[in-house]
Amino acid sequence: MALSNYTSPKWWKEVIVYQIYPASFKSSKPANEANGWGDVRGIIEKVPYLKALGVDVVWTSPIYKSPQADMGYDIADYKTIDSRYGSLADVDELIKTLNDNDMKLMMDLVVTHTSNQHDWFIQSAESKDSPKRDWYIWKPPRGYDSTGRPIPPNNWAQILNDSSSAWTWEKKTREFYLTLHTSQQVDLNWENPEVVAAVHDVMHFWLSRGVAGFRMDVINLISKDQSFPDAPVIDPSCEFQPGEKFYTNGPRFHEFMHGIYESVLSKYDTITVGEAPYVTEMSEIIKTVGSTAKELNMIFTFDHMEIEDIKTKGESKWSLRDWKLSELKTIISGWQKKMIQWDGWNAIFFECHDQARSVSRYTDDSDEFRERGAKLLALMESTLGGTVYLYQGQEIGMRNFPPEWDPDVDYKDVESINFWQKMKKLYPAGSKELKEARELLQKKARDHARTPMQWSDEPNAGFTVPGVTPWMRVNDDYRTVNVKAQIEFVGQDLSVWQYWQQALQVRKSHKDVFVYGEFEDVDFGNEQVYAYLRTGARSKERWLVAMNWTGNDVVWEVPACIEVDEVVSSSLQATTVREDGTKVKLQAWEGVLARCK
Ligand code: GLC
């Protein structure tokens, strides 16, 4: 077997990446200019805050010029900053401020599609002879129905609106164009070498300005099956069907990724992470993240994010099931071991702007247990192998907003709105189905991650000046759940923020164990306690993580092969009464980190 590179030190393996959702992070604007949106200068203001937490790299969700049909994931100009966020000069200053603090900036690269307002698409739509026509994917209708309505080229559904066709009709030239996510996000035609060159150019533009790398949006959807076949009918009651198998890791995906590597990435010292939905096969994934793959450093995989989904109806996220701890262990531990075995690299994340809050999904977000749950997740995330990604607000245990919030008013995300409108069309007010739809929104909508960051107990949670209406409503709990209270907290235990800060310090001072170390499950069949051992790659030091994933106290029998030496930290440090080294008493939702003999 070839020598593994898994343990060879790289800066991008060791960093803590913090994702900022710019609209909701911090507004720097005074009362006379404030518009309810966060901005780049707001991020600059908070660099010392991020430094104190232990962050090394900041990843900003898109801040480019955009009509915001999908909150900036619909880019109208890759080289201009949206005026609501600031200017190129502001970004230059952000890069400098970060660099001065020994930190880096990572940007979101959204090149699977552009906005329909991008000049490339405007030109492309003008005529069939436009030099930009072939920059996007145009097809004539399959035919016309009895009412004269054009029939789309195939039956693919939109990802963010599954009751719509993935193809959008353009009246002037009487053809459809491919819009996999929403009708405003037009898929680029990567088969055209001019498109590939234009993307490379955009990447050089940002890297040469000092950006350290990219998170690449749905990057594994860039190569489509060029025969554009119909998708299998999974739900006969729907006109359109999920077509991802024809555009995920498609025929030329790896060729395109190699091209990016050769022409762009290999010329800089970058950090790269691909958002790669719908792919689970290790033999396929390793082609992208293998240490000699020459594609990307790592990808985000989604098995743990989809643990509550019922998969019988294709990929729809609008379903909910109960899951057992062993299922989560299978996923999390599985990725840990697979990446070591196959010589790849993990991106560790439990939140992002597309997922509800982790404390609400995986643990218990009641007032009684929210802090414990958030700290348990912090312990887990900070002790897993891979590069750690922390999402804004996760460090204070922000939770989903309450069930009373009105889907017609308080939800702003295009995916949630489409789902709610569809359900309202299908079912009458007061029906069981609409009640269930509301529950699904309350559990799973992307909106929960997008409420303004809770900085303090001041009006608008300190996100923007009082008297201004933020673009999205502030979660009702900001008076108790906020950064200021948690940083200043003095008590028996640590606040969630203080615990994260400590957990990141522990990780950084034991990289050999937590970043590069081996991973071994302990007591795998236990449905209450998730425990694993991390062993230093070089030092061979052994550390035990044991977490009680229930709301009851548990006395956990430590397997005989492990001798606990010293409990180094606990999420409930002040109150825990520990038993001897063969048993550990874990309170509800408590996690401990122990050094072993
Ligand atoms: C990615 C983004 C998501 C966006 C979609 C389309 O999944 O994370 O927010 O809606 O791509 O760009």
mmCIF file of all heavy atoms in Angstrom, residues 242-269:
data_model
loop_
_atom_site.group_PDB
_atom_site.id
_atom_site.type_symbol
_atom_site.label_atom_id
_atom_site.label_comp_id
_atom_site.label_asym_id
_atom_site.label_seq_id
_atom_site.Cartn_x
_atom_site.Cartn_y
_atom_site.Cartn_z
ATOM 1 N N PRO A 242 -36.858 14.073 -9.195
ATOM 2 C CA PRO A 242 -35.458 14.412 -8.889
ATOM 3 C C PRO A 242 -34.503 13.779 -9.911
ATOM 4 O O PRO A 242 -34.542 12.577 -10.135
ATOM 5 C CB PRO A 242 -35.227 13.822 -7.498
ATOM 6 C CG PRO A 242 -36.401 12.963 -7.181
ATOM 7 C CD PRO A 242 -37.503 13.282 -8.134
ATOM 8 N N GLY A 243 -33.664 14.606 -10.501
ATOM 9 C CA GLY A 243 -32.807 14.114 -11.597
ATOM 10 C C GLY A 243 -31.342 14.052 -11.243
ATOM 11 O O GLY A 243 -30.484 13.893 -12.109
ATOM 12 N N GLU A 244 -31.025 14.138 -9.935
ATOM 13 C CA GLU A 244 -29.622 14.338 -9.551
ATOM 14 C C GLU A 244 -28.670 13.273 -10.086
ATOM 15 O O GLU A 244 -27.499 13.536 -10.298
ATOM 16 C CB GLU A 244 -29.468 14.501 -8.033
ATOM 17 C CG GLU A 244 -29.806 13.318 -7.189
ATOM 18 C CD GLU A 244 -31.285 13.212 -6.867
ATOM 19 O OE1 GLU A 244 -32.048 14.156 -7.164
ATOM 20 O OE2 GLU A 244 -31.688 12.165 -6.321
ATOM 21 N N LYS A 245 -29.193 12.065 -10.318
ATOM 22 C CA LYS A 245 -28.240 11.045 -10.776
ATOM 23 C C LYS A 245 -27.658 11.370 -12.154
ATOM 24 O O LYS A 245 -26.634 10.831 -12.538
ATOM 25 C CB LYS A 245 -28.873 9.666 -10.671
ATOM 26 C CG LYS A 245 -29.528 9.077 -11.829
ATOM 27 C CD LYS A 245 -29.957 7.658 -11.417
ATOM 28 C CE LYS A 245 -30.087 6.788 -12.629
ATOM 29 N NZ LYS A 245 -31.112 5.779 -12.480
ATOM 30 N N PHE A 246 -28.290 12.275 -12.870
ATOM 31 C CA PHE A 246 -27.777 12.643 -14.197
ATOM 32 C C PHE A 246 -26.908 13.907 -14.188
ATOM 33 O O PHE A 246 -26.445 14.352 -15.229
ATOM 34 C CB PHE A 246 -28.938 12.805 -15.183
ATOM 35 C CG PHE A 246 -29.737 11.539 -15.305
ATOM 36 C CD1 PHE A 246 -31.016 11.445 -14.771
ATOM 37 C CD2 PHE A 246 -29.179 10.424 -15.921
ATOM 38 C CE1 PHE A 246 -31.736 10.262 -14.848
ATOM 39 C CE2 PHE A 246 -29.893 9.235 -16.008
ATOM 40 C CZ PHE A 246 -31.171 9.151 -15.475
ATOM 41 N N TYR A 247 -26.770 14.508 -13.013
ATOM 42 C CA TYR A 247 -25.879 15.689 -12.991
ATOM 43 C C TYR A 247 -24.961 15.730 -11.768
ATOM 44 O O TYR A 247 -24.315 16.735 -11.503
ATOM 45 C CB TYR A 247 -26.669 16.999 -13.140
ATOM 46 C CG TYR A 247 -27.857 17.171 -12.207
ATOM 47 C CD1 TYR A 247 -27.675 17.455 -10.856
ATOM 48 C CD2 TYR A 247 -29.162 17.090 -12.692
ATOM 49 C CE1 TYR A 247 -28.749 17.640 -10.015
ATOM 50 C CE2 TYR A 247 -30.258 17.266 -11.854
ATOM 51 C CZ TYR A 247 -30.048 17.534 -10.519
ATOM 52 O OH TYR A 247 -31.126 17.716 -9.681
ATOM 53 N N THR A 248 -24.905 14.655 -10.996
ATOM 54 C CA THR A 248 -23.991 14.616 -9.844
ATOM 55 C C THR A 248 -22.726 13.850 -10.240
ATOM 56 O O THR A 248 -22.824 12.740 -10.764
ATOM 57 C CB THR A 248 -24.663 13.893 -8.662
ATOM 58 O OG1 THR A 248 -25.849 14.599 -8.330
ATOM 59 C CG2 THR A 248 -23.750 13.839 -7.457
ATOM 60 N N ASN A 249 -21.566 14.425 -9.966
ATOM 61 C CA ASN A 249 -20.295 13.797 -10.364
ATOM 62 C C ASN A 249 -20.417 13.241 -11.784
ATOM 63 O O ASN A 249 -20.148 12.063 -12.033
ATOM 64 C CB ASN A 249 -19.886 12.693 -9.378
ATOM 65 C CG ASN A 249 -19.347 13.268 -8.077
ATOM 66 O OD1 ASN A 249 -19.871 14.255 -7.569
ATOM 67 N ND2 ASN A 249 -18.291 12.686 -7.547
ATOM 68 N N GLY A 250 -20.859 14.087 -12.677
ATOM 69 C CA GLY A 250 -21.139 13.684 -14.056
ATOM 70 C C GLY A 250 -19.888 13.296 -14.827
ATOM 71 O O GLY A 250 -18.767 13.310 -14.291
ATOM 72 N N PRO A 251 -20.076 12.939 -16.125
ATOM 73 C CA PRO A 251 -18.995 12.333 -16.918
ATOM 74 C C PRO A 251 -17.678 13.118 -16.911
ATOM 75 O O PRO A 251 -16.612 12.524 -16.913
ATOM 76 C CB PRO A 251 -19.564 12.299 -18.335
ATOM 77 C CG PRO A 251 -21.035 12.497 -18.194
ATOM 78 C CD PRO A 251 -21.306 13.133 -16.870
ATOM 79 N N ARG A 252 -17.739 14.447 -16.931
ATOM 80 C CA ARG A 252 -16.483 15.216 -17.031
ATOM 81 C C ARG A 252 -16.115 15.940 -15.736
ATOM 82 O O ARG A 252 -15.236 16.800 -15.728
ATOM 83 C CB ARG A 252 -16.584 16.209 -18.209
ATOM 84 C CG ARG A 252 -16.787 15.496 -19.546
ATOM 85 C CD ARG A 252 -16.838 16.466 -20.697
ATOM 86 N NE ARG A 252 -15.561 17.128 -20.934
ATOM 87 C CZ ARG A 252 -15.399 18.168 -21.760
ATOM 88 N NH1 ARG A 252 -16.450 18.650 -22.424
ATOM 89 N NH2 ARG A 252 -14.214 18.715 -21.931
ATOM 90 N N PHE A 253 -16.796 15.582 -14.655
ATOM 91 C CA PHE A 253 -16.550 16.289 -13.392
ATOM 92 C C PHE A 253 -15.068 16.299 -13.001
ATOM 93 O O PHE A 253 -14.484 17.345 -12.730
ATOM 94 C CB PHE A 253 -17.412 15.676 -12.270
ATOM 95 C CG PHE A 253 -17.080 16.179 -10.898
ATOM 96 C CD1 PHE A 253 -17.170 17.538 -10.597
ATOM 97 C CD2 PHE A 253 -16.668 15.318 -9.887
ATOM 98 C CE1 PHE A 253 -16.858 18.016 -9.334
ATOM 99 C CE2 PHE A 253 -16.351 15.782 -8.620
ATOM 100 C CZ PHE A 253 -16.449 17.132 -8.345
ATOM 101 N N HIS A 254 -14.457 15.128 -13.005
ATOM 102 C CA HIS A 254 -13.054 15.077 -12.542
ATOM 103 C C HIS A 254 -12.117 15.798 -13.519
ATOM 104 O O HIS A 254 -11.156 16.436 -13.098
ATOM 105 C CB HIS A 254 -12.625 13.631 -12.293
ATOM 106 C CG HIS A 254 -13.403 13.005 -11.167
ATOM 107 N ND1 HIS A 254 -13.301 13.432 -9.869
ATOM 108 C CD2 HIS A 254 -14.337 12.025 -11.168
ATOM 109 C CE1 HIS A 254 -14.128 12.733 -9.103
ATOM 110 N NE2 HIS A 254 -14.773 11.873 -9.869
ATOM 111 N N GLU A 255 -12.439 15.708 -14.777
ATOM 112 C CA GLU A 255 -11.631 16.445 -15.771
ATOM 113 C C GLU A 255 -11.700 17.956 -15.471
ATOM 114 O O GLU A 255 -10.674 18.646 -15.452
ATOM 115 C CB GLU A 255 -12.215 16.149 -17.158
ATOM 116 C CG GLU A 255 -11.517 16.819 -18.298
ATOM 117 C CD GLU A 255 -12.351 16.726 -19.590
ATOM 118 O OE1 GLU A 255 -13.130 15.759 -19.772
ATOM 119 O OE2 GLU A 255 -12.230 17.671 -20.403
ATOM 120 N N PHE A 256 -12.894 18.454 -15.192
ATOM 121 C CA PHE A 256 -13.035 19.889 -14.895
ATOM 122 C C PHE A 256 -12.301 20.258 -13.601
ATOM 123 O O PHE A 256 -11.677 21.318 -13.500
ATOM 124 C CB PHE A 256 -14.509 20.280 -14.783
ATOM 125 C CG PHE A 256 -15.289 20.129 -16.064
ATOM 126 C CD1 PHE A 256 -16.640 19.774 -16.039
ATOM 127 C CD2 PHE A 256 -14.687 20.352 -17.303
ATOM 128 C CE1 PHE A 256 -17.365 19.636 -17.221
ATOM 129 C CE2 PHE A 256 -15.416 20.215 -18.490
ATOM 130 C CZ PHE A 256 -16.755 19.854 -18.441
ATOM 131 N N MET A 257 -12.380 19.379 -12.614
ATOM 132 C CA MET A 257 -11.706 19.679 -11.344
ATOM 133 C C MET A 257 -10.183 19.666 -11.515
ATOM 134 O O MET A 257 -9.479 20.506 -10.960
ATOM 135 C CB MET A 257 -12.128 18.678 -10.255
ATOM 136 C CG MET A 257 -13.587 18.756 -9.868
ATOM 137 S SD MET A 257 -14.186 20.425 -9.568
ATOM 138 C CE MET A 257 -13.431 20.780 -8.003
ATOM 139 N N HIS A 258 -9.691 18.728 -12.320
ATOM 140 C CA HIS A 258 -8.246 18.717 -12.606
ATOM 141 C C HIS A 258 -7.833 20.001 -13.308
ATOM 142 O O HIS A 258 -6.777 20.565 -13.029
ATOM 143 C CB HIS A 258 -7.875 17.520 -13.482
ATOM 144 C CG HIS A 258 -7.730 16.270 -12.693
ATOM 145 N ND1 HIS A 258 -6.709 16.063 -11.802
ATOM 146 C CD2 HIS A 258 -8.494 15.157 -12.632
ATOM 147 C CE1 HIS A 258 -6.847 14.885 -11.226
ATOM 148 N NE2 HIS A 258 -7.930 14.314 -11.712
ATOM 149 N N GLY A 259 -8.690 20.444 -14.199
ATOM 150 C CA GLY A 259 -8.409 21.682 -14.927
ATOM 151 C C GLY A 259 -8.275 22.846 -13.960
ATOM 152 O O GLY A 259 -7.351 23.670 -14.062
ATOM 153 N N ILE A 260 -9.188 22.920 -13.004
ATOM 154 C CA ILE A 260 -9.134 23.992 -12.001
ATOM 155 C C ILE A 260 -7.825 23.887 -11.214
ATOM 156 O O ILE A 260 -7.139 24.870 -10.956
ATOM 157 C CB ILE A 260 -10.345 23.890 -11.036
ATOM 158 C CG1 ILE A 260 -11.628 24.306 -11.753
ATOM 159 C CG2 ILE A 260 -10.122 24.711 -9.783
ATOM 160 C CD1 ILE A 260 -12.885 24.222 -10.902
ATOM 161 N N TYR A 261 -7.482 22.663 -10.864
ATOM 162 C CA TYR A 261 -6.264 22.468 -10.068
ATOM 163 C C TYR A 261 -5.025 22.898 -10.866
ATOM 164 O O TYR A 261 -4.209 23.693 -10.391
ATOM 165 C CB TYR A 261 -6.148 20.999 -9.632
ATOM 166 C CG TYR A 261 -4.926 20.769 -8.782
ATOM 167 C CD1 TYR A 261 -4.976 20.999 -7.407
ATOM 168 C CD2 TYR A 261 -3.717 20.380 -9.357
ATOM 169 C CE1 TYR A 261 -3.844 20.837 -6.627
ATOM 170 C CE2 TYR A 261 -2.584 20.215 -8.579
ATOM 171 C CZ TYR A 261 -2.653 20.449 -7.211
ATOM 172 O OH TYR A 261 -1.529 20.290 -6.443
ATOM 173 N N GLU A 262 -4.915 22.368 -12.096
ATOM 174 C CA GLU A 262 -3.713 22.648 -12.894
ATOM 175 C C GLU A 262 -3.590 24.135 -13.218
ATOM 176 O O GLU A 262 -2.532 24.728 -13.072
ATOM 177 C CB GLU A 262 -3.737 21.852 -14.211
ATOM 178 C CG GLU A 262 -3.616 20.344 -14.043
ATOM 179 C CD GLU A 262 -2.350 19.906 -13.293
ATOM 180 O OE1 GLU A 262 -1.360 20.651 -13.289
ATOM 181 O OE2 GLU A 262 -2.396 18.815 -12.683
ATOM 182 N N SER A 263 -4.712 24.729 -13.657
ATOM 183 C CA SER A 263 -4.619 26.107 -14.152
ATOM 184 C C SER A 263 -4.646 27.144 -13.043
ATOM 185 O O SER A 263 -4.214 28.269 -13.242
ATOM 186 C CB SER A 263 -5.778 26.423 -15.101
ATOM 187 O OG SER A 263 -5.834 25.471 -16.106
ATOM 188 N N VAL A 264 -5.231 26.791 -11.905
ATOM 189 C CA VAL A 264 -5.401 27.815 -10.877
ATOM 190 C C VAL A 264 -4.796 27.382 -9.525
ATOM 191 O O VAL A 264 -3.810 27.959 -9.067
ATOM 192 C CB VAL A 264 -6.901 28.148 -10.662
ATOM 193 C CG1 VAL A 264 -7.038 29.320 -9.683
ATOM 194 C CG2 VAL A 264 -7.606 28.460 -11.974
ATOM 195 N N LEU A 265 -5.387 26.370 -8.910
ATOM 196 C CA LEU A 265 -5.059 26.085 -7.506
ATOM 197 C C LEU A 265 -3.592 25.741 -7.294
ATOM 198 O O LEU A 265 -2.989 26.143 -6.291
ATOM 199 C CB LEU A 265 -5.952 24.954 -6.978
ATOM 200 C CG LEU A 265 -7.451 25.284 -6.986
ATOM 201 C CD1 LEU A 265 -8.277 24.064 -6.599
ATOM 202 C CD2 LEU A 265 -7.755 26.450 -6.041
ATOM 203 N N SER A 266 -2.999 25.021 -8.244
ATOM 204 C CA SER A 266 -1.608 24.605 -8.054
ATOM 205 C C SER A 266 -0.656 25.802 -8.030
ATOM 206 O O SER A 266 0.490 25.682 -7.622
ATOM 207 C CB SER A 266 -1.203 23.636 -9.167
ATOM 208 O OG SER A 266 -1.289 24.297 -10.410
ATOM 209 N N LYS A 267 -1.142 26.958 -8.425
ATOM 210 C CA LYS A 267 -0.266 28.140 -8.465
ATOM 211 C C LYS A 267 -0.297 28.945 -7.158
ATOM 212 O O LYS A 267 0.375 29.955 -7.025
ATOM 213 C CB LYS A 267 -0.675 29.046 -9.632
ATOM 214 C CG LYS A 267 -0.819 28.262 -10.942
ATOM 215 C CD LYS A 267 -0.534 29.112 -12.152
ATOM 216 C CE LYS A 267 -0.705 28.401 -13.466
ATOM 217 N NZ LYS A 267 -0.046 27.097 -13.605
ATOM 218 N N TYR A 268 -1.145 28.517 -6.231
ATOM 219 C CA TYR A 268 -1.258 29.237 -4.950
ATOM 220 C C TYR A 268 -1.244 28.202 -3.813
ATOM 221 O O TYR A 268 -1.360 27.003 -4.061
ATOM 222 C CB TYR A 268 -2.582 30.009 -4.887
ATOM 223 C CG TYR A 268 -2.842 30.965 -6.036
ATOM 224 C CD1 TYR A 268 -3.369 30.504 -7.243
ATOM 225 C CD2 TYR A 268 -2.592 32.329 -5.910
ATOM 226 C CE1 TYR A 268 -3.631 31.371 -8.297
ATOM 227 C CE2 TYR A 268 -2.864 33.213 -6.948
ATOM 228 C CZ TYR A 268 -3.371 32.730 -8.149
ATOM 229 O OH TYR A 268 -3.645 33.592 -9.166
ATOM 230 N N ASP A 269 -1.169 28.702 -2.587
ATOM 231 C CA ASP A 269 -1.226 27.813 -1.422
ATOM 232 C C ASP A 269 -2.626 27.969 -0.819
ATOM 233 O O ASP A 269 -2.860 28.862 -0.012
ATOM 234 C CB ASP A 269 -0.143 28.256 -0.431
ATOM 235 C CG ASP A 269 -0.087 27.362 0.785
ATOM 236 O OD1 ASP A 269 -0.644 26.242 0.734
ATOM 237 O OD2 ASP A 269 0.506 27.790 1.797
#
